[in-house]
Amino acid sequence: MASNGSTSKASPPPQGIYVPSPTFFVAEGSASYNQTSPPLDLETQSKHSLFLVEGGVKGLVLLGSTGEAIFIKPEERVQLLKSQRKTLDDAGFKDRPIIAGTATQNIDDTLQLIQESKDAGAEYAMVLSPGYFAPATSQTGIKNWFTAVADQSVIPVMIYHYPGVTNNLYIAPATFEKLAAHPNIVGTKLSHGIIDDQALIAASPNIDHEHFYVFTGLGQNLLPVLAIGGVAAIDGLAGVFPRVVVRLFDLFNESLAKGMGKNDIAEMRLLQFRICEGEKLVARWGVVGMKEACDRVWGLGSRTGGRLPLAGGFEEGDQEWSKWSKVFDGLKELEEKFKSEGSRH
């Protein structure tokens, strides 16, 4: 919903755990494989999407950094979004929104991607901050850039703040306070570990937190971010172990509602510890690590199924995975335990 001069505020996405889904490509050796630009593997994409929502994930973030958006052709964006919206709808998950990433520097290009994403079935746009000229970009420039996008966007906008891929562009909490007042800006994904800045946004009395949601992009920060006012996470590890991450989110909210006790805190701390162990792989290897884990743990996709320069998976193969296998075997057991206990969703 674009603002178009209206003072009505767009609604943020439902609170819960979201996954920045990897984009799956056909594996090396298949008939349609092309080393330079392997085609999309929409069958695996759909299997993974259903695996996530059946595990309690509230919605999907497609074509973000983990989705290798910078390698995806325009027509492929449309195919991917349409296919996953149809997959969710056909399986009875019409209530699970799709958030589409945009990673452009130009406002007009960003607006075009947003329009195409809406037409393909996305309900929200996660807009990456423009970091090419980061050292020379002022906070006023950032505010005006996002305001121009939000003024014209046909769907609600979330600010994607990821200094690691935007030339270390910094968005100050005071800038977030100003942008959070925009009727068509409904939240942010904070993919950094600056916990004091996260608190200055998520706990700010100058922000309407019914309209503007703070998601951490790091599952290893989920419990502390919930404690300071964040609503949840858009988290990579949840792409492999959705029930594990969702369980921590549920435990926090359930214990908060009934009155949090020492046993609740101890259980949440232990679960956060287990999540942090697994997140080390995501922090080190990003989408390469996620695809490796999806393949090795669940047989989903191909660990070598990427586009250059990310094609090929772990360079050291089994030797590298052996560093992570004990932690991931334990998380798999935990995921299966939670599944056997029955879904709350």
Side-chain angles (χ1 to χ4, degrees):
M1 181 189 77
S3 63
N4 294 326
S6 171
T7 57
S8 62
K9 290 184 176 181
S11 298
Q15 295 186 14
I17 301 300
Y18 291 71
V19 169
S21 297
T23 298
F24 291 95
F25 304 102
V26 299
E28 186 176 357
S30 68
S32 59
Y33 180 77
N34 177 299
Q35 183 180 26
T36 321
S37 187
L40 301 176
D41 181 356
L42 296 178
E43 181 180 354
T44 296
Q45 196 79 46
S46 293
K47 287 179 180 178
H48 186 247
S49 294
L50 292 177
F51 167 73
L52 297 179
V53 295
E54 288 167 358
V57 165
K58 188 59 67 175
L60 306 179
V61 176
L62 300 177
L63 299 164
S65 302
T66 304
E68 299 177 61
I70 58 172
F71 301 150
I72 309 299
K73 292 177 282 189
E75 60 270 23
E76 291 174 328
R77 285 181 56 91
V78 172
Q79 292 171 12
L80 183 66
L81 290 167
K82 280 186 174 180
S83 70
Q84 297 318 292
R85 184 68 270 165
K86 185 176 188 302
T87 292
L88 297 182
D89 291 351
D90 289 351
F93 293 103
K94 293 183 178 181
D95 62 333
R96 308 300 169 97
I98 288 177
I99 303 171
T102 71
T104 65
Q105 306 291 308
N106 181 280
I107 290 170
D108 289 336
D109 290 343
T110 301
L111 291 168
Q112 181 177 340
L113 288 181
I114 292 173
Q115 179 67 64
E116 292 170 355
S117 298
K118 178 183 183 294
D119 293 343
E123 287 87 355
Y124 297 89
M126 191 176 74
V127 179
L128 186 67
S129 52
Y132 189 89
F133 292 110
T137 302
S138 68
Q139 294 300 303
T140 298
I142 294 168
K143 179 182 73 68
N144 291 343
W145 191 92
F146 274 106
T147 298
V149 170
D151 280 348
Q152 301 173 71
S153 176
V154 292
I155 51 179
V157 167
M158 296 179 64
I159 298 167
Y160 185 17
H161 185 23
Y162 187 6
V165 298
T166 55
N167 202 15
N168 289 316
L169 181 74
Y170 178 69
I171 307 179
T175 303
F176 273 103
E177 287 186 353
K178 295 171 184 174
L179 289 170
H182 194 289
N184 208 31
I185 297 178
V186 295
T188 182
K189 177 187 178 185
L190 301 176
S191 291
H192 61 68
I194 311 172
I195 198 68
D196 54 334
D197 272 17
Q198 295 188 33
L200 288 169
I201 301 165
S204 171
N206 300 317
I207 290 176
D208 175 4
H209 296 289
E210 296 298 316
H211 165 67
F212 184 88
Y213 285 174
V214 173
F215 292 83
T216 178
L218 306 173
Q220 55 267 51
N221 285 355
L222 177 55
L223 183 55
V225 166
L226 289 172
I228 60 174
V231 302
I234 299 172
D235 174 55
L237 188 70
V240 187
F241 303 110
R243 289 178 176 84
V244 173
V245 182
V246 168
R247 179 60 65 97
L248 178 55
F249 172 80
D250 286 346
L251 281 172
F252 179 87
N253 285 287
E254 289 166 6
S255 62
L256 191 65
K258 72 179 183 181
M260 197 173 293
K262 288 184 178 180
N263 289 340
D264 298 317
I265 294 172
E267 187 178 1
M268 287 187 287
R269 284 175 176 170
L270 180 58
L271 196 49
Q272 180 68 85
F273 174 83
R274 299 290 297 276
I275 290 170
C276 285
E277 286 186 308
E279 295 284 4
K280 290 292 186 182
L281 174 76
V282 181
R284 170 63 183 87
W285 286 104
V287 62
V288 172
M290 282 187 65
K291 287 185 175 180
E292 192 88 23
C294 283
D295 184 4
R296 289 184 183 268
V297 176
W298 304 114
L300 277 169
S302 167
R303 72 194 70 158
T304 61
R307 284 185 172 169
L308 294 172
L310 300 184
F314 287 160
E315 193 167 8
E316 300 298 328
D318 292 344
Q319 181 180 343
E320 178 63 24
W321 180 251
S322 68
K323 301 174 184 177
W324 311 97
S325 58
K326 182 178 179 180
V327 166
F328 275 70
D329 287 345
L331 286 167
K332 182 179 182 181
E333 290 179 8
L334 197 58
E335 181 78 13
E336 290 175 332
K337 173 179 178 288
F338 292 156
K339 182 179 181 180
S340 69
E341 291 175 355
S343 173
R344 309 179 188 191
H345 308 275

